[in-house]
Amino acid sequence: MIVNMIYEKDLRDRRIVIKSLEDQKIIADTNILNYDALNNIVRVSAANIPDREYERIYALIFGNEGLYEYVGTIRGTVIANEIEILLGKSRMKEDRKRFRYNISMTGTILCIIIDGWNVTLRKPIKVKTINISSNGILFQADAGSFYLGNEFMLLLEIEEKVMGMKCEVVRIQNSTVRTEEYGCKVNAAVLA
């Protein structure tokens, strides 16, 4: 499905995942600062994008009405600590309530949250992501690591940056003797 017109309000402050078209590695997972609908350009914080001038990219934007994919170019121009990404034609992938974006990354859970307090774990829990949606994440960890309703801080390594997510377990599936898959709602995310 081709999207006809997207307005600034549709994309401003929305999540964008940027991957290199050449090697398919994630360059950034950040938020859009603003969108120029006339020129089809998004601006993100320059601190979130390493020095990559005129690199071809694949962008996945979690919009209000759905999930959009683009093939575009990082323009490399830094203005007021913002970098421009020229987007090509977009395609709405699916209603975001059903779509899952397959991304395999390793992560670490250093603390759980009990009654609003962060409780540091003596032994951090290692996880492997299976997929990510606009408001959730599915990962695999050791069986029995979590119960429904558990809250925790998940740290994912994205290139040379770390993304912290406050998550809550809403689903447990594919249990084996050694591992389980945990479906989690993401309540907050920060790229550090």
Side-chain angles (χ1 to χ4, degrees):
M1 175 172 144
I2 300 294
V3 177
N4 292 329
M5 186 64 177
I6 298 173
Y7 300 98
E8 180 180 10
K9 66 179 176 57
D10 298 324
L11 298 186
R12 178 181 278 243
D13 297 323
R14 302 306 299 175
R15 180 176 173 201
I16 181 171
V17 176
I18 304 165
K19 289 173 64 174
S20 168
L21 231 111
E22 184 178 321
D23 61 13
Q24 295 297 308
K25 288 188 177 179
I26 295 175
I27 296 169
D29 186 340
T30 187
N31 288 338
I32 295 170
L33 297 174
N34 58 52
Y35 172 62
D36 177 352
L38 185 62
N39 295 307
N40 204 25
I41 294 172
V42 295
R43 291 179 184 86
V44 298
S45 171
N48 292 326
I49 306 260
D51 187 26
R52 296 175 184 260
E53 199 166 332
Y54 301 106
E55 181 172 346
R56 299 281 295 153
I57 57 99
Y58 167 80
L60 190 69
I61 299 175
F62 298 86
N64 285 332
E65 299 298 320
L67 191 62
Y68 305 96
E69 66 178 349
Y70 294 86
V71 173
T73 305
I74 296 175
R75 293 191 47 183
T77 308
V78 177
I79 301 170
N81 201 30
E82 295 178 0
I83 195 159
E84 293 182 339
I85 299 172
L86 179 62
L87 301 174
K89 292 192 180 204
S90 70
R91 183 170 73 90
M92 182 179 247
K93 288 188 72 89
E94 263 188 66
D95 180 329
R96 69 181 187 149
K97 293 177 184 166
R98 295 186 314 251
F99 182 76
R100 303 289 181 257
Y101 183 59
N102 294 327
I103 296 180
S104 180
M105 292 185 282
T106 57
T108 307
I109 296 168
L110 300 174
C111 69
I112 58 172
I113 301 166
I114 300 174
D115 293 329
W117 293 91
N118 289 349
V119 178
T120 303
L121 300 173
R122 286 187 184 175
K123 181 180 176 191
I125 299 170
K126 298 290 183 187
V127 303
K128 180 180 177 191
T129 64
I130 297 169
N131 62 48
I132 296 175
S133 70
S134 61
N135 62 351
I137 185 166
L138 178 67
F139 63 82
Q140 184 180 61
D142 291 341
S145 295
F146 301 100
Y147 298 101
L148 289 176
N150 282 155
E151 290 185 292
F152 54 87
M153 286 298 297
L154 170 63
L155 301 178
L156 293 176
E157 293 180 22
I158 302 171
E159 291 293 305
E160 296 170 3
K161 297 192 181 288
V162 174
M163 180 177 195
M165 293 188 276
K166 181 180 176 185
C167 301
E168 178 182 349
V169 177
V170 294
R171 182 177 75 252
I172 300 173
Q173 64 187 37
N174 296 337
S175 298
T176 68
V177 174
R178 302 189 78 206
T179 63
E180 288 179 317
E181 293 178 358
Y182 297 94
C184 302
K185 174 174 64 171
V186 176
N187 295 324
V190 177
L191 192 63

